[in-house]
Amino acid sequence: MLLILTVLATALVAVVASRGRLHPLVGGAVGLAGALATSWFFAGCALGGDVIGENTGVQRVLAVAAVLTVGAGLARTVAAVRAGGGTAGDGLLTELRSGMFRTRSWLPWLLLAPTLLVLAVFLYHPAFQTFALSTKLARMGAPRSADVCLSNFAELLVPSPYLVAGLPLAAVALVAGLTLWRARTTAGTGSHTVAAALAPLGPIAVVVALYFVFAPGRTGYRGVYVATVGISLGIVALSMAAGLALAYLVARRFRGASVYRTLLIWPYAVSPPVAGILFFMMFDPTAGVMAHLADVVGLDFPSYRSDGVLAQAAIVLAASWKWVGHNILFYVAALQTVPREIIEAAAIDGAGQWRRFARIVVPSIAPVTFFLLVTNLTYAFFDVYGTIDYLTRGGPSGQTTVAIYEIIRVGVGTGDLGRGAAQSAILFIAVIGLTVWQFRRSEGRITYGGGA
């Protein structure tokens, strides 16, 4: 409760400062202090000498990382305000001040109150409770819980604090160095070309560093991390590529097009467990439809139950089939906004169909692609539990146990609420980090409404 009140007080002071009643630096300083206090409430036990449990060095590294990350984010915001850059919400606030709410400042808050109340009760409060629960030894049904500081997080990582601190720092330094190198060189030069070619090494280094930070074995998190990355990337790539290809084909005008589009979109209405059952009936090695057809022609049908790669491929196929209708729906709408006169002019100039698609269609629908990339990643991380539970149950040997499946297995299946909450916090931070990275990567590359 103290944590929630601290955050609300910080937000209130920041709002007052943004309205000009206080100097912006005062609001920034209060926001920085509030954020540091928030992270201290969460990780202060490891820094204050009250660290509990094993891997105390790793817990201290995690605590320092939490405080520095929050402090750096707030300091960057304050620096942007001092430089006059403002924030993304400044334009909206200006529009509100110049509109009908200018003389009735309480009216927007009154209209937003029901939504803010619902968000506070059903979103923010459970989120804070999850972070608080991640620092406790709590069992389902047990009347009491005990504080364990950050040991629920530390037990998922390798026991060396030097590796936990050094590998992510090295990866971040590589990303920053490559970004700075590319920004300092002139486009068209050989140095800029080399920097652009080496840019993918940054994200790859981050993925590899996290692989070695998570502990191996049954109690570690490395296997879950590998399965989550592999299956999520497969789902996003397949569902978006198939959605764009099918939408491009059905966007043309022909007889019965609306019926055909509806048939392509209807899998979106199927729940993930039903998708798992359908693909179980098709690919089951003993009673599935595909096994029967293979037996008719005299072939041996491989079993995904004993092959990890086939099991992951089955999950990717089932989850992509269920989600591709969602992507088709948005891509069909986006393709109808592409200017036909530009495509026809390119065709007259001799551009082939693939070149028109790559040079005109794909850039024109980039905002929708970016939106679908975020929603597809969210779906791949959070909505595949039902499909996995009905198709593979996390097997074989945990090779389809992704993060959300492990959270429910640990938190609900074994009743270890503290460890389940810690894994939920890790998944939450991962999704936030990926979303922020996508927004930063898309800056200046995606335009909306025909703007420059």
Side-chain angles (χ1 to χ4, degrees):
M1 181 57 69
L2 184 60
L3 175 62
I4 296 175
L5 293 176
T6 302
V7 174
L8 290 178
T10 303
L12 181 61
V13 173
V15 168
V16 172
S18 69
R19 294 177 63 83
R21 297 178 183 177
L22 293 175
H23 193 279
L25 290 181
V26 176
V30 174
L32 179 60
L36 292 175
T38 303
S39 56
W40 182 269
F41 277 116
F42 175 66
C45 56
L47 299 175
D50 298 328
V51 60
I52 302 172
E54 300 178 352
N55 297 334
T56 56
V58 175
Q59 293 186 51
R60 290 193 174 93
V61 168
L62 294 177
V64 171
V67 174
L68 291 181
T69 301
V70 175
L74 265 297
R76 188 176 184 275
T77 303
V78 173
V81 173
R82 290 190 62 183
T87 61
D90 287 349
L92 178 61
L93 291 176
T94 302
E95 293 178 4
L96 290 176
R97 291 193 188 98
S98 62
M100 62 175 294
F101 299 133
R102 186 173 183 179
T103 58
R104 302 174 182 177
S105 59
W106 53 269
L107 187 56
W109 295 106
L110 178 63
L111 298 175
L112 288 173
T115 300
L116 294 177
L117 181 62
V118 170
L119 290 174
V121 173
F122 294 103
L123 182 61
Y124 299 133
H125 182 263
F128 285 127
Q129 289 295 325
T130 299
F131 275 93
L133 191 61
S134 67
T135 62
K136 297 182 180 298
L137 176 61
R139 295 287 181 179
M140 186 176 294
R144 296 181 179 178
S145 60
D147 292 330
V148 292
C149 200
L150 301 181
S151 63
N152 285 327
F153 295 91
E155 68 181 7
L156 303 177
L157 309 177
V158 293
S160 172
Y162 302 103
L163 289 179
V164 174
L167 289 176
L169 284 177
V172 171
L174 179 61
V175 172
L178 291 174
T179 304
L180 186 62
W181 181 12
R182 190 176 182 183
R184 294 293 181 88
T185 54
T186 305
T189 61
S191 180
H192 185 82
T193 303
V194 174
L198 295 178
L201 291 179
I204 294 175
V206 174
V207 173
V208 173
L210 291 177
Y211 172 83
F212 287 105
V213 165
F214 289 118
R218 295 181 61 84
T219 59
Y221 204 66
R222 186 175 296 177
V224 175
Y225 170 73
V226 173
T228 303
V229 172
I231 292 177
S232 298
L233 290 180
I235 293 173
V236 172
L238 181 59
S239 61
M240 290 191 66
L244 177 58
L246 292 173
Y248 191 68
L249 292 177
V250 301
R252 302 175 181 179
R253 296 178 180 177
F254 57 90
R255 180 177 295 180
S258 59
V259 176
Y260 189 56
R261 292 171 190 166
T262 303
L263 292 177
L264 286 175
I265 294 171
W266 76 265
Y268 178 49
V270 175
S271 67
V274 174
I277 294 173
L278 289 175
F279 277 77
F280 172 80
M281 295 171 63
M282 284 195 296
F283 294 113
D284 183 71
T286 56
V289 175
M290 301 303 294
H292 175 72
L293 295 177
D295 185 60
V296 169
V297 297
L299 298 176
D300 292 330
F301 189 74
S303 174
Y304 69 84
R305 294 180 180 177
S306 57
D307 190 308
V309 176
L310 290 179
Q312 292 183 353
I315 296 297
V316 170
L317 192 60
S320 301
W321 173 83
K322 181 258 177 293
W323 195 247
V324 73
H326 171 273
N327 296 340
I328 292 175
L329 192 65
F330 281 90
Y331 271 134
V332 167
L335 290 172
Q336 292 175 352
T337 65
V338 179
R340 294 295 174 189
E341 58 272 17
I342 298 178
I343 297 178
E344 293 172 357
I348 294 174
D349 290 340
Q353 190 167 4
W354 169 252
R355 193 171 185 181
R356 297 198 299 270
F357 175 78
R359 298 295 181 88
I360 300 175
V361 175
V362 172
S364 299
I365 61 174
V368 174
T369 300
F370 178 70
F371 165 76
L372 290 178
L373 182 61
V374 176
T375 56
N376 276 251
L377 268 177
T378 305
Y379 163 75
F381 276 125
F382 291 105
D383 283 347
V384 295
Y385 173 81
T387 304
I388 294 175
D389 194 47
Y390 280 89
L391 192 55
T392 64
R393 294 190 180 277
S397 302
Q399 296 192 50
T400 58
T401 301
V402 297
I404 188 65
Y405 191 87
E406 180 70 3
I407 290 170
I408 297 176
R409 187 191 70 81
V410 172
V412 179
T414 66
D416 192 344
L417 298 179
R419 192 177 182 190
Q423 295 186 13
S424 298
I426 290 176
L427 182 59
F428 172 77
I429 294 171
V431 173
I432 293 296
L434 276 175
T435 305
V436 171
W437 178 75
Q438 289 170 356
F439 271 98
R440 291 193 179 280
R441 290 283 299 173
S442 64
E443 287 180 350
R445 300 184 180 184
I446 297 177
T447 58
Y448 297 87

